[in-house]
Amino acid sequence: MRKKLVAGNWKMNTSFSEAQKLASEVANMVKDEALLDGTDVVICVPFPYLSTAAALVADSPVKVGAQNCSDKPKGAYTGETSTAMLASMEIPYVIIGHSERREYFNEDNQLLAAKTDIALENGLTPIFCCGESLETREAGNHFDFVCQQLTESLFHLSAEQLGKIVIAYEPIWAIGTGKTASAAQAQEMHEQLRAHLAGKYGAEIADAIPILYGGSVKPGNAKEIFAGKDVDGGLVGGASLDSRGFTDIVKAI
Ligand code: PGA
């Protein structure tokens, strides 16, 4: 059975005290490991709050992730955070290639390939994001575009390395817009992506890779979206800033 995962992406939100409250509340609400039935619950918090959040969730099944990382191992790169640093803090997850990083920080598929490599080298699980713009979808090129993102950033990996990755499909037009992809649109893309992975790595490996959906996932639509047979959970932005709403999304899986 494939691993299921619900990850909250707090983005650049919360003060330190708000972050402490939110992390504690999520940890309290997601206490019962048995109820999760193998689903991983992750909160991807801003860098300055990583160690505090990790301490606050330590007695719960909740895990902590970073939202970005450097493609460089170490050295004179002011303001950057390496995956070795994250590993030394025992942070297990890192989001790579979120569309906001691609758009505002010019991250391209080649750079994201390098970030993926170095995250894997340091034992982190990348949550690798992909997704198309509205323009690309309307032009009917969305399947090719998203498959190409995987090809250029992931297809140099060995099968063993690929097996350590989580993919998050996040159509840009659905992020923070309140406009979610329909359950059918999500399932259809996930199926395409899995077939694309299978074409390169074989069905067994492709079948084992969790593919999350992201883009305006809310307590009210999570159940329907997660019902897709190739949808293995969600990457949740706005709704992860409310502990009750986030927990309800976790329950929906
Ligand atoms: P959203 O963000 O849930 O606020 O649409 C999702 C994401 O960007 O990961």
Side-chain angles (χ1 to χ4, degrees), residues 5-11 42-44 95 98 168 170 175 212-219 221-222 226 233-242 245-247 249-250:
L5 199 145
V6 177
N9 174 11
W10 293 7
K11 308 191 180 184
V42 185
I43 50 174
C44 298
I95 297 175
H98 191 280
E170 299 205 305
I175 295 177
L212 316 182
Y213 169 80
S216 299
V217 176
K218 303 275 182 274
N221 61 24
F226 294 164
L235 181 55
V236 184
S240 71
L241 296 171
D242 172 64
F246 182 64
T247 313
I249 293 171
V250 171

Side-chain angles (χ1 to χ4, degrees), residues 151-165:
T151 302
E152 291 186 10
S153 295
L154 303 181
F155 276 19
H156 64 288
L157 298 174
S158 69
E160 197 199 334
Q161 288 173 314
L162 188 86
K164 295 183 174 145
I165 288 192

Side-chain angles (χ1 to χ4, degrees), residues 16 66 196:
F16 186 39
H196 187 56

Side-chain angles (χ1 to χ4, degrees), residues 2 6 15 41 55 65 69 75 83 88 97 108 111 123 176 180 182 186 202 206 208 222 244:
R2 268 197 300 276
V6 177
S15 66
V41 178
C69 62
T83 49
S88 72
D108 61 18
L111 176 75
T180 166
S182 68
R244 170 65 56 198

Side-chain angles (χ1 to χ4, degrees), residues 183-199:
Q185 283 173 321
Q187 166 55 29
E188 176 186 53
M189 178 62 86
H190 286 220
E191 195 175 327
Q192 287 279 334
L193 295 179
R194 206 177 296 290
H196 187 56
L197 294 169

